Amino acid sequence: MRLTRYFLPTLKETPAEAQIVSHRYMLRAGMVRQASAGIYSWLPLGYRVLKKIEQIVREEQDRAGAVEMLMPTIQSADLWRVSGRYDDYGKEMLRIQDRHGRDMLYGPTNEELITEIFRSSVRSYRDLPKNLYHIQWKFRDEVRPRFGVMRGREFYMKDAYSFALDYPSAVHAYNRMFVSYLRTFARMGLQAIPMRAETGPIGGDLSHEFIILADTGESAVYCHKDMLAFDIFTEDVDYDGDLQPIVDHWTGLYAAADDKHDPDACPVPTDDLVEARGIEVGHIFYFGAKYSKPMGAVVAGPDGAEVPVEMGSYGIGVSRLPAAIIEASHDGNGIIWPEPVAPFRVGLLNLRASDDSCVSTCDALYGTLNAAGIECLYDDGDDSAGAKFARMDLIGLPWQIVVGPRGVKAGTVELKNRKTGAREELSAESALARLSA
Ligand code: 5CA
């Protein structure tokens, strides 16, 4: 992509309303724009990151055996009256009336709708287990939307819903999502710590939040200090096999979110307890028959008797993740994207757009990068070198190839690694070989 054709409205000034670094950088790097309180437009650069994150989430859900579908954003209030949550959900739910005076709502989550879909189509235990997910916009009229997309009112969530015949197979479904979350966040370069958590309006008694430690995190969290030394989980897993040992390993040490932490009953000695702040990037729930029972989602078991299905739900804050990743990976000059979620892998900088030899070197490199499928943002404009360096550092692409008149004469370009800051003078061919490796 040529920068002169792109839409990258970066800001020099730090926006006054942004209190945390991810919000500042997302605004300054031209990733998002606020449309109204807690509601954002995703500009091209931010949208590329969102799509990359969404795709990683999708691949790991599919790998774990979940099946993708799409439910609407607007739901009828009727189903929510059956589950009892129409009143329980309170002011966070955005209620709407259509022209016929029917009560509708903008879905804050989808337990009711998916249970209804399941109920109307599945009758026998032979069709179980199932896990259905979608990635869709949600709306919660948060009292305090803040920190940009971190706590929005409209936000993008992956929500999966599992259906099982009995408790053991419901736990297996839960474990599948637990393990797939470890892999999902690891692929984004994040160390997510599973922590025992309250279930709030979703319900149930077994629940884990997946937390990224960050000073700016909204949640106070507590865990045994040895959890911080756990290796990021990248193993291949057999999702049909016994996942309990993996879950036991990750839940064996104390880790709890604020609402589950009781200082008087904490089993960890003070010296071993880490008190920190964290960002909740995912939350999984097992809630048995909380929805299936009132909504009549039953199947005939092996003995012919009807039983309500055992359910769980599993959320990932897809639109929160770009901000969480920035909180975990930045420096004073800007964002440092981990490669798998970077909007482009390479930034190509022509330091002298008026110099024919710089232009031809850059154009050739750009062509080769495109042909090799290496995503490249080519700064082909005529800003000063300083402005180009600052912008590239701000938007945080993992690699920069810098082409200037002196290097072109000597037959070299500069390859810079954004994360380490390491720079190397080398031929254009060697730079390409390095990126293709
Ligand atoms: N139905 C369940 C699981 S599908 C559910 O809604 N869970 S949740 O309420 O915990 O939300 C799932 C994830 O969405 C959270 O872990 C968080 O990462 C993200 N999320 C929740 N509220 C917001 C918000 N206001 N802004 C951005 N992300 C949010």
Side-chain angles (χ1 to χ4, degrees), residues 109 111 140 142 150 152 157 159 280 282-283 285 313-315 317:
T109 177
E111 280 80 6
R140 293 183 188 170
E142 303 272 354
M150 194 76 93
M157 191 207 283
D159 37 329
E280 178 201 325
H283 198 163
F285 304 81
S313 74
Y314 314 91

Side-chain angles (χ1 to χ4, degrees), residues 85 89 108-111 140 142 149-161 181 202 209-210 280-285 287 313-320:
R85 281 208 296 183
Y89 225 96
T109 177
N110 281 58
E111 280 80 6
R140 293 183 188 170
E142 303 272 354
V149 296
M150 194 76 93
R151 179 160 299 278
R153 293 199 296 164
E154 187 181 53
F155 60 98
Y156 202 41
M157 191 207 283
K158 184 284 297 179
D159 37 329
Y161 302 88
Y181 277 32
I202 308 296
E209 285 177 358
F210 286 74
E280 178 201 325
V281 287
H283 198 163
I284 61 177
F285 304 81
F287 42 72
S313 74
Y314 314 91
I316 290 183
V318 177
S319 59
R320 176 177 284 184

Side-chain angles (χ1 to χ4, degrees), residues 240-280:
D240 291 324
D242 182 9
L243 302 171
Q244 199 60 52
I246 304 173
V247 174
D248 288 347
H249 172 70
W250 283 88
T251 53
L253 289 173
Y254 184 79
D258 195 20
D259 45 20
K260 270 277 178 198
H261 177 71
D262 174 359
D264 299 329
C266 179
V268 185
T270 322
D271 284 353
D272 293 339
L273 187 70
V274 177
E275 276 187 54
R277 313 278 318 165
I279 302 167
E280 178 201 325

